Amino acid sequence: MPCPSVVCSKERISRMSMKWIYLGLAIVSEVIASSALRASDGFTRVGPTLALIIGYGVSFYFLSLTLRTIPMGIAYAVWSGVGILLICIVGWMFFEQKLDLAAIVGLIFIVTGVVILNVFSKSAMH
């Protein structure tokens, strides 16, 4: 017996949401791990080294879940683009790294590219 359209619709929305939640968790975990990589001082500090190992493990786990439903190229473009933006913000806020005009313009291009992929590309709608 087919399920009522409202239930099927909610299930479809739930599955659709989960793939983006998984991707978001992969991105956040990767940014945490990359920040810990900087803080590990060449793997000489135990706490940040453990954080980066766990962070990258969690990141790749959630990325693998994402790849079940989002095409690899799209998922990786979003993962890397948003990750680049976030790690630049973390570097600026916590590691006193400067962003000049060229860096800011480049970041805007990266974010614009990710938005174009997700809004206009039929490839993103797997």
Side-chain angles (χ1 to χ4, degrees), residues 46-106:
V46 176
T49 300
L50 290 174
L52 78 90
I53 291 168
I54 293 167
Y56 282 130
V58 169
S59 179
F60 284 119
Y61 172 73
F62 281 111
L63 183 61
S64 73
L65 294 180
T66 300
L67 294 177
R68 291 179 178 172
T69 54
I70 298 176
M72 183 172 40
I74 300 300
Y76 194 76
V78 173
W79 184 57
S80 59
V82 174
I84 289 168
L85 176 65
L86 291 178
I87 203 65
C88 284
I89 292 169
V90 167
W92 173 69
M93 290 177 67
F94 297 104
F95 297 106
E96 299 178 15
Q97 296 174 351
K98 306 295 181 219
L99 295 174
D100 61 8
L101 181 61
I104 292 169
V105 169

Side-chain angles (χ1 to χ4, degrees), residues 10 18 29 45 69 79 81 94 116 123:
K10 286 182 181 179
M18 286 309 296
S29 300
R45 299 179 61 215
T69 54
W79 184 57
F94 297 104
I116 288 170
S123 298

Side-chain angles (χ1 to χ4, degrees), residues 31-43 48-49 51-52 56 95:
V31 169
I32 291 168
S34 294
S35 300
L37 180 62
R38 168 68 168 80
S40 77
D41 196 28
F43 302 110
T49 300
L52 78 90
Y56 282 130
F95 297 106

